[in-house]
Amino acid sequence: MSNARATHLTRRGILAAGGALGLGAVLAACGDDDAKNGGSDSETTAAKKSGPWTFKDDRGTEVKLDKIPANIVAFTGVAAALYDYGITVKGVFGPTKTTDGKADVQAGDMDISKVEILGNVWDQFNVEKYAALAPDVLITTMFDDAGTLWYVPAASADKIAKLAPSVGISVYDRQITEPLQRVWELAESLGADMTAASVTGAKKKFEAAATRLRAAAKAKPEIKVLAGSASQDIFYVSGTNLSIDLEYFKALGVNFVEPPEKAKAKGGGWYESLSWENVDKYKADIIMMDDRSATIQPADITEATWKKLPAVKAGQVVSRSPEPILSYDKVTPLLETLAEALENAKKVS
């Protein structure tokens, strides 16, 4: 990716690289631009139900329709969460497939060949294809307090808004339990069976995982955890503030490396940027690494300074999902992974 391309991306595009969002947006903007358009033949569970539909989103906007939405278009991660509750969508936008054509990590268990992919990278959204889907509603997340709809391009936002009402779920400056509950409520409003054994069972497993993580953190308060993300030239260190997963993990007692506010200021308060020469700036016993497909994964990092880090040498590196799929089924493994890492961790810093 050229420096010129990165410089001309909007601030929102790089808002929290390595923290909650932006690195994926920056790198994906320079990545695969091709999207396979499958289209789904299946209807949502809600489409089979009748009656008016109302939902008040996290902007305070109340969407009212004569019937429960049948033609839903959503940000990929939101669509994946709804899928876990039995709600399917017609179209998606956001990281959906990798350069080799496989489902992106943010697509979860969805069959991506059965949805219309309107955009696979940052700032890509095919308005014409969106209109052709005759959308009833657009659903996505929000990473600021201004109500900006995630992955809806600013240049075409007005055109998109005229075609269907939108629902925004906030994932900004709160713990993950809040958006999890909001997506639960959204799925229920769309006709999902929230009493199904798979749904209630997933929530119980989440609660058990939270208890386990709290116990693991309490047992090893001395273990320092660093949340990182890798690009070709920069290593990003995330602070816990603003990120729904890290804020929750911290509340459960996990001891995180916290870059000073001054250092995070250039990243909009989300992260600190380090050169690979300075990747050892902070002492850490466990490193959680961004699992998004647009980032460099630990096994592919060749920098000698990385390989010399105590946590890396000790094999104490685990994955992290900065943009988690907001269903209990998908969030639970994130807690379990960190809990296991803490349980087995040795003090190496």
Side-chain angles (χ1 to χ4, degrees), residues 107-128:
D109 294 330
M110 284 193 303
D111 183 345
I112 63 172
S113 70
K114 294 184 177 180
V115 292
E116 185 82 13
I117 302 174
L118 304 176
N120 197 55
V121 298
W122 182 256
D123 240 10
Q124 181 188 78
F125 192 112
N126 192 311
V127 180
E128 290 72 23

Side-chain angles (χ1 to χ4, degrees), residues 273-285:
S273 303
L274 298 176
S275 66
W276 282 104
E277 289 76 14
N278 296 316
V279 74
D280 60 353
K281 179 177 179 179
Y282 297 107
K283 295 183 182 298
D285 304 296

Side-chain angles (χ1 to χ4, degrees), residues 12-27 150 292 323:
R12 191 150 324 278
I14 58 174
L15 180 60
L21 28 142
L23 180 58
V26 172
L27 299 182
W150 187 233
R292 290 173 295 182
E323 291 184 69

Side-chain angles (χ1 to χ4, degrees), residues 1 13 17 31 34 51 62 73 85 89 97 114 137 181 197 204-205 207 231 250 252-253 299 302 309 328 334-335 345:
M1 179 176 69
D34 176 43
E62 189 170 46
V73 172
Y85 293 127
V89 305
K97 71 170 186 175
K114 294 184 177 180
V137 67
Q181 180 60 30
K204 289 180 180 178
K205 288 181 180 179
E207 293 166 349
S231 69
K250 183 179 180 179
L252 292 177
T302 59
L309 293 176
Y328 289 103
L334 308 182
L335 276 68

Side-chain angles (χ1 to χ4, degrees), residues 300-316:
D300 299 319
I301 298 175
T302 59
E303 300 290 341
T305 48
W306 163 262
K307 294 181 179 181
K308 292 179 182 178
L309 293 176
V312 175
K313 293 173 67 175
Q316 296 180 171

Side-chain angles (χ1 to χ4, degrees), residues 49-340:
K49 299 179 180 292
S50 60
W53 182 75
T54 300
F55 188 82
K56 189 173 184 178
D57 75 358
D58 291 338
R59 298 169 297 182
T61 300
E62 189 170 46
V63 179
K64 296 182 178 181
L65 299 175
D66 293 336
K67 60 180 181 179
I68 295 175
N71 294 341
I72 301 171
V73 172
F75 173 68
T76 302
V78 174
L82 291 175
Y83 182 87
D84 286 346
Y85 293 127
I87 304 296
T88 57
V89 305
K90 295 292 185 180
V92 296
F93 56 96
T96 306
K97 71 170 186 175
T98 60
T99 54
D100 59 2
K102 296 180 180 179
D104 189 275
V105 64
Q106 295 190 60
D109 294 330
M110 284 193 303
D111 183 345
I112 63 172
S113 70
K114 294 184 177 180
V115 292
E116 185 82 13
I117 302 174
L118 304 176
N120 197 55
V121 298
W122 182 256
D123 240 10
Q124 181 188 78
F125 192 112
N126 192 311
V127 180
E128 290 72 23
K129 289 182 178 180
Y130 178 58
L133 290 175
D136 293 321
V137 67
L138 178 148
I139 308 172
T140 187
T141 49
M142 301 181 297
F143 281 92
D144 61 24
D145 56 6
T148 306
L149 298 177
W150 187 233
Y151 262 80
V152 174
S156 54
D158 289 342
K159 291 181 180 179
I160 292 169
K162 292 177 181 178
L163 293 171
S166 60
V167 167
I169 301 297
S170 180
V171 290
Y172 177 74
D173 196 17
R174 61 200 60 204
Q175 294 179 24
I176 198 169
T177 46
E178 293 183 56
L180 272 173
Q181 180 60 30
R182 292 295 282 144
V183 172
W184 174 288
E185 294 165 359
L186 175 62
E188 186 173 34
S189 77
L190 293 169
D193 180 5
M194 310 312 282
T195 64
S198 59
V199 174
T200 58
K203 191 170 185 179
K204 289 180 180 178
K205 288 181 180 179
F206 169 83
E207 293 166 349
T211 299
R212 178 184 176 186
L213 179 54
R214 187 188 296 275
K218 184 177 181 179
K220 293 187 177 179
E222 75 283 2
I223 298 296
K224 294 286 287 187
V225 180
L226 182 148
S229 188
S231 69
Q232 182 175 351
D233 301 315
I234 300 173
F235 183 82
Y236 301 93
V237 179
S238 299
T240 58
N241 188 35
L242 305 180
S243 298
I244 57 173
D245 61 329
L246 301 185
E247 284 200 13
Y248 183 57
F249 298 157
K250 183 179 180 179
L252 292 177
V254 178
N255 184 9
F256 280 99
V257 168
E258 297 281 6
E261 292 304 314
K262 183 177 180 180
K264 294 193 297 178
K266 294 181 179 180
W270 296 78
Y271 63 93
E272 178 181 2
S273 303
L274 298 176
S275 66
W276 282 104
E277 289 76 14
N278 296 316
V279 74
D280 60 353
K281 179 177 179 179
Y282 297 107
K283 295 183 182 298
D285 304 296
I286 295 174
I287 300 176
M288 300 176 68
M289 289 296 290
D290 189 337
D291 69 353
R292 290 173 295 182
S293 57
T295 67
I296 300 177
Q297 297 305 299
D300 299 319
I301 298 175
T302 59
E303 300 290 341
T305 48
W306 163 262
K307 294 181 179 181
K308 292 179 182 178
L309 293 176
V312 175
K313 293 173 67 175
Q316 296 180 171
V317 178
V318 297
S319 64
R320 175 200 170 208
S321 298
E323 291 184 69
I325 295 172
L326 296 169
S327 71
Y328 289 103
D329 181 70
K330 294 300 183 291
V331 172
T332 296
L334 308 182
L335 276 68
E336 292 174 335
T337 295
L338 183 52
E340 182 178 8

